[in-house]
Amino acid sequence: MDLFSTSLSMPEWETLIHRAEVGDVNEALENIDRSKGTEFDVIFIGGGAGGRFGSAYSKARGLRQLVVDKWPFLGGSCPHQACVPHHLFSEAAREMDYMRWNSDTLWFTKFEEERASIVDLIDLFKRGRNNPHAFMNWQSKEQLDMEYILNAEAIVIDKNTVEVNGERFTTKNIVLGTGSSTFVPPEIKGLDKAGVYDYATLIDPGLDYEPTSCVIIGGSKVAMEYGSFYQATGCHTTILTRSPLMRTKSLHHIDEDLRRYVVDNMRLRGMDIIEGCEPLEVVGEERATGVRVRLADGTETIIETDFVFLGTGERPHTQPFVDALGIDVDEKGFVKVNARMQTSIPGIYAIGDLIGAPMEMFKARKCGMTAARNIAGEPFEFDFSEYPDFLHTTYEVTWVGLTEDEAREQYEDITVIQMPPKGMPNGDIALPVSEGTMLYAFTRPELSGFQKCIYDNHSRRLLGAHHVGMGAKDAFQYLDFLIKKGITIDEMGEMNELFINPEHFIQLSRLRAGHQNLVDL
Ligand code: KPC
């Protein structure tokens, strides 16, 4: 379907995407300026965050780009199966948690668990997700002037040729950005049984029954986030993890006090977290009825459940490119790139989840831009080894920079400013209190969050910040920038806080900034 001379409205895009999803439209959706022929400066394979942002930057630098995606929309898995539903579920978990703690008090009605349906929320998401999909197509065409082919597979023929829908397109550069999917551990038996899901199959084809309990295999962010949601709905959830939660290799800079607050609060909400164990098998005839697990003491047990969820990390989609191009990949299949996103083959770049952790939006988008800048002849490097991070339980958990332990190892003399202060039980103080926790301050102060920031006493520079609560994520984007710029405690004290702010770092830092010799608070 040639869409180049047509301007579809948002509702028209939504309808077209829906028709493609249900199989009424099988042809490729093309937005190509045929008057310019079929030669491109760069072809992006995969129209997720990296491909879309790389395409936008390529256009901005005057390159002719083409982006191809097998789905009938741009934007990738984020708005389809991954980040967006996760944020919907995590926000729902926070709301349900709030309603439970306040159930039948003040103006709150009694929390009715039977109305907290996982299936209803999945259906709600699926009914709404074509709106962001439509917007990505509309914006990419009408505002960003990208050329694209959707609803079609791209086949790499060689380093300068890509075939789509039987037609060959030539290009000076190729950017690979086809993402990843859940790692299915081969040593765990029975993962193909009905009743076993991951973040993607939860949505497509979708959970079609209301589970009575959940066992999560793995201790990743996905495990913590989806597990907290299931538990909040009343679906009792057990997490089976080899490493202690938040001590998996995929997370860095986890402060131990923050970790303890997060995990204690998951348990307080009724979750079972079994660490140091080895899941062996999903048991049941055709449907999962339980998970056999070897516990840390070596004994084996079966945990009964009608819903198994995988939180075992991800693996990339790279084999077709290895076969076609011979690019170098690591032992897990992730493409090896340098800081310019260049692979081992000149003119071939790789971005996003395809190149390994962190599997995060900021990285995918910035990788796309990085590849485009280098293709445009503007040398640009992206080091994503240090980055601010977050996850959700029923809280929003955010962190950036060094932990207290790391700071003690790397610096002679540090100051730790935290709330509640060291040694004070959480329930003794209704602080930090901020967005979303005002009621807790007066009813259950131990639920009102945790925060810590760390300074180097010699340079007075901020080394790290850690927060459990609500509404601090935005601040952490800027704190990351300020830490990298070398902000000091004195400069923190000069900032203007918007009281009551989710993280009290400015005011707490100001209370100490006057000291010649910094001391803890
Ligand atoms: C609504 C939203 O930003 C999530 S989908 C983003 C896809 S993209 O802009 O291509 O990174």
Side-chain angles (χ1 to χ4, degrees):
M1 187 183 297
D2 179 5
L3 297 165
F4 183 69
S5 328
T6 321
S7 274
L8 296 186
S9 66
M10 280 286 291
E12 286 169 335
W13 265 123
E14 278 195 57
T15 303
L16 180 56
I17 292 166
H18 175 73
R19 290 182 59 218
E21 283 172 339
V22 297
D24 284 353
V25 171
N26 293 308
E27 61 192 303
L29 310 180
E30 274 191 23
N31 178 45
I32 297 182
D33 184 351
R34 291 280 175 185
S35 70
K36 292 184 178 159
T38 54
E39 287 161 20
F40 290 86
D41 294 307
V42 51
I43 295 182
F44 289 84
I45 300 185
R52 220 172 74 84
F53 275 69
S55 289
Y57 203 89
S58 301
K59 282 299 298 182
R61 304 310 296 161
L63 300 177
R64 187 173 185 214
Q65 61 66 238
L66 175 67
V67 57
V68 186
D69 203 286
K70 67 179 189 319
W71 279 332
F73 50 84
L74 293 166
S77 61
C78 164
H80 196 58
Q81 296 170 330
C83 340
V84 174
H86 140 232
H87 278 80
L88 173 67
F89 299 154
S90 292
E91 194 168 311
R94 184 184 80 181
E95 293 285 325
M96 288 187 275
D97 187 56
Y98 199 63
M99 295 208 55
R100 274 176 193 281
W101 289 113
N102 293 302
S103 177
D104 218 9
T105 67
L106 300 166
W107 61 89
F108 292 94
T109 54
K110 202 164 163 43
F111 183 70
E112 296 173 56
E113 205 163 78
E114 56 283 2
R115 291 180 60 186
S117 157
I118 301 172
V119 171
D120 282 356
L121 210 56
I122 293 169
D123 287 348
L124 180 75
F125 167 71
K126 286 172 79 167
R127 285 199 301 276
R129 68 179 168 178
N130 280 345
N131 183 268
H133 294 343
F135 184 71
M136 298 302 145
N137 289 4
W138 179 88
Q139 183 193 57
S140 303
K141 182 175 186 302
E142 307 299 336
Q143 294 188 311
L144 302 172
D145 295 326
M146 285 179 202
E147 292 183 68
Y148 53 72
I149 307 177
L150 306 176
N151 212 27
E153 203 89 42
I155 301 164
V156 177
I157 304 298
D158 60 41
K159 68 191 282 292
N160 297 109
T161 317
V162 175
E163 186 177 295
V164 188
N165 212 18
E167 182 176 6
R168 293 204 169 180
F169 298 87
T170 56
T171 182
K172 296 185 185 123
N173 302 277
I174 294 176
V175 182
L176 308 171
T178 45
S180 63
S181 50
T182 299
F183 173 56
V184 181
E187 72 277 12
I188 302 179
K189 290 182 232 151
L191 290 176
D192 55 350
K193 289 189 167 61
V196 180
Y197 290 84
D198 69 0
Y199 72 89
T201 56
L202 185 77
I203 308 291
D204 297 303
L207 187 73
D208 56 3
Y209 62 100
E210 211 59 62
T212 55
S213 69
C214 177
V215 172
I216 298 188
I217 295 178
S220 63
K221 255 190 199 185
V222 166
M224 294 176 68
E225 292 176 329
Y226 283 72
S228 295
F229 164 58
Y230 302 144
Q231 180 70 31
T233 66
C235 172
H236 175 253
T237 297
T238 303
I239 293 183
L240 304 178
T241 173
R242 288 170 210 250
S243 315
L245 281 192
M246 302 188 84
R247 286 277 170 252
T248 49
K249 264 190 257 160
S250 55
L251 295 182
H252 67 175
H253 302 310
I254 302 294
D255 187 86
E256 182 54 25
D257 289 335
L258 171 134
R259 191 186 87 81
R260 201 172 309 125
Y261 188 88
V262 171
V263 176
D264 285 354
N265 269 278
M266 289 170 76
R267 290 198 163 112
L268 184 66
R269 268 80 176 171
M271 293 179 78
D272 284 326
I273 298 163
I274 303 179
E275 296 173 336
C277 67
E278 191 184 349
L280 300 170
E281 180 185 8
V282 174
V283 297
E285 288 295 318
E286 285 176 7
R287 289 199 73 82
T289 56
V291 176
R292 189 162 62 84
V293 58
R294 185 178 298 126
L295 302 173
D297 65 6
T299 59
E300 284 186 21
T301 187
I302 290 178
I303 302 173
E304 290 184 8
T305 189
D306 55 357
F307 177 35
V308 178
F309 187 77
L310 285 177
T312 41
E314 278 147 57
R315 289 293 183 274
H317 303 145
T318 40
Q319 199 53 48
F321 311 128
V322 175
D323 295 343
L325 300 165
I327 48 170
D328 287 349
V329 296
D330 70 13
E331 65 289 351
K332 291 180 178 167
F334 291 105
V335 182
K336 291 184 183 175
V337 291
N338 61 16
R340 296 182 181 187
M341 307 301 130
Q342 292 162 324
T343 69
S344 56
I345 307 288
I348 308 293
Y349 295 72
I351 58 175
D353 287 358
L354 214 54
I355 63 171
M359 317 302 248
E360 293 291 354
M361 187 59 126
F362 83 91
K363 191 202 78 186
R365 287 173 166 171
K366 223 168 133 179
C367 280
M369 182 190 78
T370 304
R373 284 177 83 149
N374 285 293
I375 290 166
E378 291 170 27
F380 183 77
E381 300 198 340
F382 176 27
D383 171 9
F384 47 80
S385 58
E386 286 302 319
Y387 53 93
D389 209 351
F390 76 98
L391 59 77
H392 291 105
T393 54
T394 45
Y395 291 103
E396 177 196 270
V397 186
T398 32
W399 63 97
V400 62
L402 299 184
T403 66
E404 182 179 340
D405 288 346
E406 289 167 341
R408 286 197 194 289
E409 273 170 29
Q410 295 176 33
Y411 292 84
E412 252 173 38
D413 204 8
I414 63 165
T415 286
V416 177
I417 291 176
Q418 72 173 54
M419 189 63 75
K422 267 196 197 301
M424 184 180 289
N426 292 323
D428 284 7
I429 173 84
L431 288 173
V433 63
S434 59
E435 183 186 308
T437 60
M438 287 303 295
L439 272 183
Y440 291 151
F442 299 90
T443 56
R444 302 204 48 133
E446 71 277 14
L447 303 184
S448 63
F450 170 84
Q451 67 186 39
K452 177 189 283 191
C453 64
I454 303 144
Y455 289 95
D456 166 32
N457 287 358
H458 176 68
S459 65
R460 300 173 77 84
R461 283 184 170 186
L462 182 60
L463 299 176
H466 310 268
H467 187 264
V468 187
M470 258 72 90
K473 202 154 40 124
D474 275 354
F476 273 68
Q477 300 175 132
Y478 306 114
L479 275 173
D480 171 54
F481 183 80
L482 293 172
I483 287 176
K484 289 188 172 113
K485 291 279 174 203
I487 190 168
T488 64
I489 190 168
D490 309 291
E491 289 166 332
M492 284 286 281
E494 288 166 15
M495 291 173 78
N496 300 320
E497 80 262 36
L498 300 179
F499 184 80
I500 289 177
N501 43 332
E503 29 25 69
H504 301 182
F505 297 137
I506 297 172
Q507 55 135 330
L508 294 178
S509 298
R510 186 181 294 136
L511 287 173
R512 279 302 190 224
H515 286 253
Q516 187 75 33
N517 298 313
L518 294 176
V519 279
D520 290 351
L521 186 72

